[in-house]
Short mmCIF file of all heavy atoms in Angstrom, two decimals:
data_model
loop_
_atom_site.label_atom_id
_atom_site.label_comp_id
_atom_site.label_asym_id
_atom_site.label_seq_id
_atom_site.Cartn_x
_atom_site.Cartn_y
_atom_site.Cartn_z
N ASN A 118 -6.30 -11.70 -1.61
CA ASN A 118 -7.54 -12.42 -1.65
C ASN A 118 -7.28 -13.57 -2.70
O ASN A 118 -6.82 -13.31 -3.82
CB ASN A 118 -8.71 -11.62 -2.14
CG ASN A 118 -10.11 -12.28 -2.03
OD1 ASN A 118 -10.26 -13.36 -2.74
ND2 ASN A 118 -10.89 -11.82 -1.15
N LYS A 119 -7.58 -14.77 -2.33
CA LYS A 119 -7.24 -15.91 -3.27
C LYS A 119 -7.99 -15.85 -4.52
O LYS A 119 -7.61 -16.46 -5.51
CB LYS A 119 -7.47 -17.23 -2.51
CG LYS A 119 -6.42 -17.44 -1.35
CD LYS A 119 -6.45 -18.83 -0.77
CE LYS A 119 -5.41 -18.95 0.26
NZ LYS A 119 -5.27 -20.34 0.78
N SER A 120 -9.12 -15.12 -4.55
CA SER A 120 -9.84 -15.02 -5.80
C SER A 120 -9.04 -14.34 -6.91
O SER A 120 -9.36 -14.53 -8.07
CB SER A 120 -11.15 -14.26 -5.60
OG SER A 120 -12.03 -14.93 -4.72
N PHE A 121 -8.05 -13.57 -6.49
CA PHE A 121 -7.19 -12.95 -7.56
C PHE A 121 -6.61 -13.92 -8.50
O PHE A 121 -6.43 -13.74 -9.73
CB PHE A 121 -6.15 -12.07 -6.90
CG PHE A 121 -6.41 -10.53 -6.95
CD1 PHE A 121 -6.40 -9.85 -5.75
CD2 PHE A 121 -6.62 -9.97 -8.14
CE1 PHE A 121 -6.65 -8.51 -5.76
CE2 PHE A 121 -6.90 -8.57 -8.13
CZ PHE A 121 -6.92 -7.88 -6.95
N SER A 122 -6.22 -15.09 -7.93
CA SER A 122 -5.57 -16.10 -8.76
C SER A 122 -6.48 -16.69 -9.80
O SER A 122 -5.98 -17.26 -10.81
CB SER A 122 -5.05 -17.21 -7.84
OG SER A 122 -4.09 -18.01 -8.52
N LEU A 123 -7.81 -16.55 -9.65
CA LEU A 123 -8.70 -17.04 -10.68
C LEU A 123 -8.67 -16.17 -11.94
O LEU A 123 -9.19 -16.59 -12.94
CB LEU A 123 -10.15 -17.02 -10.09
CG LEU A 123 -10.43 -17.99 -8.99
CD1 LEU A 123 -11.79 -17.83 -8.35
CD2 LEU A 123 -10.28 -19.48 -9.44
N PHE A 124 -7.97 -15.08 -11.94
CA PHE A 124 -7.74 -14.25 -13.09
C PHE A 124 -6.36 -14.50 -13.62
O PHE A 124 -5.90 -13.73 -14.49
CB PHE A 124 -7.98 -12.79 -12.75
CG PHE A 124 -9.44 -12.51 -12.30
CD1 PHE A 124 -9.78 -12.52 -10.98
CD2 PHE A 124 -10.48 -12.30 -13.21
CE1 PHE A 124 -11.07 -12.34 -10.55
CE2 PHE A 124 -11.76 -12.16 -12.84
CZ PHE A 124 -12.09 -12.10 -11.54
N GLY A 125 -5.65 -15.47 -13.10
CA GLY A 125 -4.30 -15.70 -13.55
C GLY A 125 -4.12 -17.21 -13.59
O GLY A 125 -4.08 -17.77 -14.67
N THR A 126 -3.91 -17.89 -12.47
CA THR A 126 -3.61 -19.30 -12.40
C THR A 126 -4.87 -20.04 -11.96
O THR A 126 -5.01 -20.40 -10.80
CB THR A 126 -2.44 -19.59 -11.49
OG1 THR A 126 -2.73 -19.06 -10.21
CG2 THR A 126 -1.16 -18.92 -12.00
N THR A 127 -5.84 -20.21 -12.85
CA THR A 127 -7.11 -20.86 -12.49
C THR A 127 -6.96 -22.33 -12.36
O THR A 127 -5.97 -22.92 -12.83
CB THR A 127 -8.17 -20.56 -13.59
OG1 THR A 127 -7.89 -21.35 -14.70
CG2 THR A 127 -8.10 -19.08 -14.02
N PRO A 128 -8.01 -23.03 -11.82
CA PRO A 128 -8.05 -24.48 -11.95
C PRO A 128 -8.06 -24.88 -13.52
O PRO A 128 -8.45 -24.04 -14.31
CB PRO A 128 -9.39 -24.84 -11.28
CG PRO A 128 -9.58 -23.73 -10.34
CD PRO A 128 -9.13 -22.48 -10.97
N PRO A 129 -7.59 -26.07 -13.76
CA PRO A 129 -7.38 -26.43 -15.16
C PRO A 129 -8.61 -26.79 -15.92
O PRO A 129 -8.68 -27.89 -16.54
CB PRO A 129 -6.40 -27.57 -15.06
CG PRO A 129 -6.68 -28.23 -13.71
CD PRO A 129 -7.15 -27.12 -12.81
N TRP A 130 -9.63 -25.99 -15.90
CA TRP A 130 -10.79 -26.31 -16.60
C TRP A 130 -10.94 -25.61 -18.01
O TRP A 130 -11.67 -25.93 -18.82
CB TRP A 130 -12.13 -26.10 -15.83
CG TRP A 130 -12.14 -24.88 -14.92
CD1 TRP A 130 -11.77 -23.61 -15.23
CD2 TRP A 130 -12.61 -24.90 -13.50
NE1 TRP A 130 -12.00 -22.80 -14.16
CE2 TRP A 130 -12.49 -23.57 -13.11
CE3 TRP A 130 -13.11 -25.81 -12.68
CZ2 TRP A 130 -12.84 -23.16 -11.80
CZ3 TRP A 130 -13.49 -25.45 -11.42
CH2 TRP A 130 -13.32 -24.12 -10.96
N PHE A 131 -10.11 -24.59 -18.20
CA PHE A 131 -9.99 -23.90 -19.55
C PHE A 131 -9.15 -24.77 -20.39
O PHE A 131 -8.12 -25.34 -20.06
CB PHE A 131 -9.41 -22.51 -19.38
CG PHE A 131 -10.22 -21.55 -18.72
CD1 PHE A 131 -10.12 -21.19 -17.38
CD2 PHE A 131 -11.20 -20.84 -19.47
CE1 PHE A 131 -10.90 -20.19 -16.82
CE2 PHE A 131 -12.00 -19.86 -18.86
CZ PHE A 131 -11.87 -19.56 -17.52
N ASN A 132 -9.54 -24.83 -21.75
CA ASN A 132 -8.78 -25.51 -22.71
C ASN A 132 -7.42 -24.91 -22.92
O ASN A 132 -6.35 -25.57 -23.03
CB ASN A 132 -9.47 -25.55 -24.10
CG ASN A 132 -10.64 -26.56 -24.08
OD1 ASN A 132 -11.09 -26.97 -23.07
ND2 ASN A 132 -11.13 -26.82 -25.29
N ASP A 133 -7.39 -23.55 -23.01
CA ASP A 133 -6.08 -22.84 -23.07
C ASP A 133 -6.36 -21.40 -22.61
O ASP A 133 -7.45 -21.04 -22.24
CB ASP A 133 -5.59 -22.85 -24.54
CG ASP A 133 -6.46 -22.17 -25.56
OD1 ASP A 133 -7.17 -21.21 -25.19
OD2 ASP A 133 -6.56 -22.62 -26.71
N ALA A 134 -5.26 -20.65 -22.49
CA ALA A 134 -5.33 -19.36 -21.89
C ALA A 134 -6.14 -18.32 -22.73
O ALA A 134 -6.68 -17.42 -22.15
CB ALA A 134 -3.85 -18.79 -21.69
N ASN A 135 -6.23 -18.56 -24.04
CA ASN A 135 -7.02 -17.65 -24.87
C ASN A 135 -8.49 -17.79 -24.55
O ASN A 135 -9.27 -16.86 -24.52
CB ASN A 135 -6.78 -17.89 -26.35
CG ASN A 135 -7.17 -16.74 -27.22
OD1 ASN A 135 -6.86 -15.63 -26.91
ND2 ASN A 135 -7.82 -17.04 -28.30
N HIS A 136 -8.87 -19.02 -24.16
CA HIS A 136 -10.25 -19.23 -23.72
C HIS A 136 -10.50 -18.48 -22.41
O HIS A 136 -11.65 -17.97 -22.16
CB HIS A 136 -10.59 -20.71 -23.47
CG HIS A 136 -10.54 -21.45 -24.80
ND1 HIS A 136 -10.68 -22.80 -24.87
CD2 HIS A 136 -10.48 -21.09 -26.09
CE1 HIS A 136 -10.67 -23.27 -26.09
NE2 HIS A 136 -10.50 -22.19 -26.84
N MET A 137 -9.54 -18.43 -21.45
CA MET A 137 -9.65 -17.65 -20.28
C MET A 137 -9.81 -16.20 -20.52
O MET A 137 -10.71 -15.53 -19.92
CB MET A 137 -8.51 -17.93 -19.33
CG MET A 137 -8.60 -17.21 -17.99
SD MET A 137 -7.25 -17.48 -16.90
CE MET A 137 -5.95 -16.60 -17.74
N ILE A 138 -9.07 -15.67 -21.45
CA ILE A 138 -9.24 -14.19 -21.80
C ILE A 138 -10.52 -13.95 -22.41
O ILE A 138 -11.16 -12.93 -22.22
CB ILE A 138 -8.04 -13.77 -22.65
CG1 ILE A 138 -6.66 -13.88 -21.93
CG2 ILE A 138 -8.12 -12.28 -23.14
CD1 ILE A 138 -5.45 -13.60 -22.80
N GLY A 139 -10.99 -14.95 -23.27
CA GLY A 139 -12.36 -14.85 -23.81
C GLY A 139 -13.40 -14.68 -22.71
O GLY A 139 -14.37 -13.88 -22.83
N TRP A 140 -13.28 -15.56 -21.67
CA TRP A 140 -14.21 -15.47 -20.54
C TRP A 140 -14.10 -14.09 -19.86
O TRP A 140 -15.15 -13.53 -19.53
CB TRP A 140 -13.89 -16.58 -19.50
CG TRP A 140 -14.51 -16.34 -18.17
CD1 TRP A 140 -15.76 -16.55 -17.86
CD2 TRP A 140 -13.89 -15.78 -17.00
NE1 TRP A 140 -16.00 -16.24 -16.55
CE2 TRP A 140 -14.85 -15.67 -15.94
CE3 TRP A 140 -12.53 -15.34 -16.69
CZ2 TRP A 140 -14.58 -15.24 -14.65
CZ3 TRP A 140 -12.29 -14.86 -15.45
CH2 TRP A 140 -13.25 -14.83 -14.44
N PHE A 141 -12.92 -13.58 -19.72
CA PHE A 141 -12.76 -12.31 -19.07
C PHE A 141 -13.58 -11.16 -19.87
O PHE A 141 -14.26 -10.40 -19.22
CB PHE A 141 -11.29 -11.91 -18.99
CG PHE A 141 -11.03 -10.62 -18.24
CD1 PHE A 141 -11.00 -10.63 -16.85
CD2 PHE A 141 -10.84 -9.39 -18.91
CE1 PHE A 141 -10.73 -9.37 -16.19
CE2 PHE A 141 -10.61 -8.20 -18.28
CZ PHE A 141 -10.56 -8.21 -16.87
N TYR A 142 -13.41 -11.09 -21.12
CA TYR A 142 -14.02 -10.04 -21.94
C TYR A 142 -15.43 -10.30 -22.37
O TYR A 142 -16.21 -9.38 -22.67
CB TYR A 142 -13.12 -9.67 -23.12
CG TYR A 142 -11.88 -8.92 -22.65
CD1 TYR A 142 -10.57 -9.58 -22.78
CD2 TYR A 142 -11.90 -7.68 -22.16
CE1 TYR A 142 -9.47 -8.92 -22.39
CE2 TYR A 142 -10.71 -7.03 -21.72
CZ TYR A 142 -9.52 -7.67 -21.86
OH TYR A 142 -8.41 -7.04 -21.50
N TYR A 143 -15.79 -11.58 -22.53
CA TYR A 143 -17.15 -11.91 -23.06
C TYR A 143 -17.94 -12.84 -22.22
O TYR A 143 -19.12 -13.11 -22.52
CB TYR A 143 -16.93 -12.49 -24.46
CG TYR A 143 -16.56 -11.54 -25.51
CD1 TYR A 143 -15.16 -11.36 -25.84
CD2 TYR A 143 -17.49 -10.67 -26.18
CE1 TYR A 143 -14.77 -10.41 -26.76
CE2 TYR A 143 -17.12 -9.71 -27.11
CZ TYR A 143 -15.77 -9.57 -27.34
OH TYR A 143 -15.38 -8.63 -28.29
N GLY A 144 -17.38 -13.32 -21.09
CA GLY A 144 -18.17 -14.27 -20.28
C GLY A 144 -18.45 -13.74 -18.90
O GLY A 144 -18.79 -14.54 -18.02
N GLY A 145 -18.26 -12.47 -18.66
CA GLY A 145 -18.57 -11.84 -17.35
C GLY A 145 -17.46 -11.75 -16.45
O GLY A 145 -17.56 -11.21 -15.28
N GLY A 146 -16.26 -12.17 -16.86
CA GLY A 146 -15.04 -12.10 -15.99
C GLY A 146 -14.65 -10.73 -15.61
O GLY A 146 -14.24 -10.48 -14.49
N GLU A 147 -14.72 -9.74 -16.56
CA GLU A 147 -14.27 -8.37 -16.21
C GLU A 147 -15.13 -7.75 -15.14
O GLU A 147 -14.57 -7.13 -14.27
CB GLU A 147 -14.24 -7.52 -17.48
CG GLU A 147 -13.69 -6.17 -17.30
CD GLU A 147 -13.47 -5.47 -18.55
OE1 GLU A 147 -14.14 -5.76 -19.65
OE2 GLU A 147 -12.72 -4.45 -18.63
N ALA A 148 -16.38 -7.98 -15.17
CA ALA A 148 -17.25 -7.45 -14.11
C ALA A 148 -16.90 -8.06 -12.70
O ALA A 148 -16.88 -7.34 -11.67
CB ALA A 148 -18.71 -7.64 -14.42
N LEU A 149 -16.60 -9.36 -12.67
CA LEU A 149 -16.22 -9.99 -11.47
C LEU A 149 -14.87 -9.49 -10.95
O LEU A 149 -14.58 -9.29 -9.79
CB LEU A 149 -16.17 -11.48 -11.67
CG LEU A 149 -17.56 -12.17 -11.89
CD1 LEU A 149 -17.37 -13.62 -12.35
CD2 LEU A 149 -18.42 -12.14 -10.56
N TYR A 150 -14.01 -9.21 -11.87
CA TYR A 150 -12.64 -8.60 -11.58
C TYR A 150 -12.80 -7.25 -10.92
O TYR A 150 -12.19 -6.94 -9.94
CB TYR A 150 -11.83 -8.50 -12.87
CG TYR A 150 -10.50 -7.89 -12.70
CD1 TYR A 150 -9.34 -8.60 -12.26
CD2 TYR A 150 -10.28 -6.58 -13.03
CE1 TYR A 150 -8.07 -7.99 -12.20
CE2 TYR A 150 -9.12 -5.93 -12.97
CZ TYR A 150 -8.00 -6.68 -12.56
OH TYR A 150 -6.74 -6.07 -12.46
N ARG A 151 -13.70 -6.44 -11.48
CA ARG A 151 -13.95 -5.13 -10.93
C ARG A 151 -14.59 -5.22 -9.59
O ARG A 151 -14.27 -4.47 -8.70
CB ARG A 151 -14.79 -4.26 -11.89
CG ARG A 151 -14.10 -3.76 -13.14
CD ARG A 151 -14.84 -2.68 -13.81
NE ARG A 151 -16.21 -3.06 -14.18
CZ ARG A 151 -16.53 -3.47 -15.44
NH1 ARG A 151 -15.59 -3.58 -16.36
NH2 ARG A 151 -17.75 -3.83 -15.72
N GLU A 152 -15.47 -6.18 -9.37
CA GLU A 152 -16.12 -6.38 -8.08
C GLU A 152 -14.98 -6.71 -7.07
O GLU A 152 -15.07 -6.15 -5.90
CB GLU A 152 -17.11 -7.52 -8.13
CG GLU A 152 -17.81 -7.76 -6.84
CD GLU A 152 -18.85 -8.94 -6.90
OE1 GLU A 152 -19.13 -9.34 -8.03
OE2 GLU A 152 -19.24 -9.38 -5.83
N LEU A 153 -14.10 -7.55 -7.34
CA LEU A 153 -13.00 -7.91 -6.45
C LEU A 153 -12.10 -6.70 -6.24
O LEU A 153 -11.79 -6.40 -5.08
CB LEU A 153 -12.25 -9.09 -7.01
CG LEU A 153 -10.94 -9.41 -6.23
CD1 LEU A 153 -11.27 -9.89 -4.81
CD2 LEU A 153 -10.21 -10.58 -6.96
N MET A 154 -11.67 -6.08 -7.25
CA MET A 154 -10.71 -5.01 -7.18
C MET A 154 -11.28 -3.81 -6.52
O MET A 154 -10.64 -3.18 -5.60
CB MET A 154 -10.19 -4.64 -8.59
CG MET A 154 -9.11 -3.55 -8.58
SD MET A 154 -7.47 -4.14 -8.12
CE MET A 154 -6.88 -4.85 -9.63
N HIS A 155 -12.41 -3.38 -6.87
CA HIS A 155 -12.99 -2.08 -6.41
C HIS A 155 -13.92 -2.24 -5.28
O HIS A 155 -13.78 -1.51 -4.21
CB HIS A 155 -13.78 -1.34 -7.53
CG HIS A 155 -12.91 -1.05 -8.75
ND1 HIS A 155 -13.34 -0.87 -10.03
CD2 HIS A 155 -11.51 -0.94 -8.80
CE1 HIS A 155 -12.33 -0.57 -10.84
NE2 HIS A 155 -11.24 -0.63 -10.16
N ASP A 156 -14.90 -3.17 -5.32
CA ASP A 156 -15.88 -3.28 -4.24
C ASP A 156 -15.41 -4.00 -3.02
O ASP A 156 -15.74 -3.61 -1.93
CB ASP A 156 -17.15 -3.92 -4.81
CG ASP A 156 -17.76 -3.25 -6.05
OD1 ASP A 156 -17.44 -2.04 -6.18
OD2 ASP A 156 -18.49 -3.89 -6.78
N VAL A 157 -14.64 -5.07 -3.24
CA VAL A 157 -14.18 -5.85 -2.10
C VAL A 157 -12.95 -5.32 -1.47
O VAL A 157 -12.87 -5.11 -0.32
CB VAL A 157 -14.00 -7.32 -2.52
CG1 VAL A 157 -13.40 -8.14 -1.41
CG2 VAL A 157 -15.33 -7.92 -2.92
N LEU A 158 -11.89 -5.10 -2.26
CA LEU A 158 -10.61 -4.68 -1.77
C LEU A 158 -10.35 -3.23 -1.77
O LEU A 158 -9.38 -2.79 -1.23
CB LEU A 158 -9.48 -5.41 -2.55
CG LEU A 158 -9.48 -6.95 -2.36
CD1 LEU A 158 -8.39 -7.58 -3.22
CD2 LEU A 158 -9.33 -7.33 -1.00
N ARG A 159 -11.26 -2.43 -2.53
CA ARG A 159 -11.13 -1.02 -2.50
C ARG A 159 -9.75 -0.57 -3.06
O ARG A 159 -9.15 0.43 -2.62
CB ARG A 159 -11.31 -0.39 -1.10
CG ARG A 159 -12.60 -0.84 -0.48
CD ARG A 159 -13.84 -0.18 -1.12
NE ARG A 159 -15.03 -0.56 -0.40
CZ ARG A 159 -16.25 -0.22 -0.85
NH1 ARG A 159 -16.37 0.44 -1.98
NH2 ARG A 159 -17.30 -0.59 -0.15
N MET A 160 -9.27 -1.27 -4.05
CA MET A 160 -7.97 -0.94 -4.65
C MET A 160 -8.21 0.14 -5.72
O MET A 160 -9.07 0.06 -6.56
CB MET A 160 -7.30 -2.19 -5.27
CG MET A 160 -6.99 -3.26 -4.32
SD MET A 160 -5.90 -2.75 -2.97
CE MET A 160 -4.39 -2.40 -3.83
N ASN A 161 -7.31 1.08 -5.68
CA ASN A 161 -7.40 2.27 -6.57
C ASN A 161 -6.69 1.91 -7.91
O ASN A 161 -5.72 2.53 -8.27
CB ASN A 161 -6.84 3.51 -5.94
CG ASN A 161 -6.98 4.77 -6.79
OD1 ASN A 161 -8.02 4.93 -7.51
ND2 ASN A 161 -6.06 5.70 -6.70
N ALA A 162 -7.22 0.89 -8.59
CA ALA A 162 -6.47 0.39 -9.83
C ALA A 162 -7.52 -0.14 -10.78
O ALA A 162 -8.63 -0.61 -10.41
CB ALA A 162 -5.47 -0.69 -9.46
N VAL A 163 -7.20 -0.12 -12.09
CA VAL A 163 -7.91 -0.73 -13.15
C VAL A 163 -6.98 -1.65 -13.88
O VAL A 163 -5.78 -1.45 -13.88
CB VAL A 163 -8.50 0.25 -14.14
CG1 VAL A 163 -9.56 1.19 -13.42
CG2 VAL A 163 -7.44 1.11 -14.83
#
Side-chain angles (χ1 to χ4, degrees):
N118 188 295
K119 292 191 177 184
S120 295
F121 257 125
S122 196
L123 293 171
F124 299 94
T126 56
T127 76
W130 38 47
F131 288 98
N132 286 15
D133 61 37
N135 201 43
H136 292 174
M137 182 178 70
I138 297 177
W140 164 78
F141 183 82
Y142 288 109
Y143 288 95
E147 188 171 16
L149 291 167
Y150 175 85
R151 287 197 300 266
E152 180 180 346
L153 173 63
M154 181 76 83
H155 299 156
D156 302 340
V157 173
L158 296 178
R159 306 291 183 184
M160 298 302 294
N161 186 32
V163 297

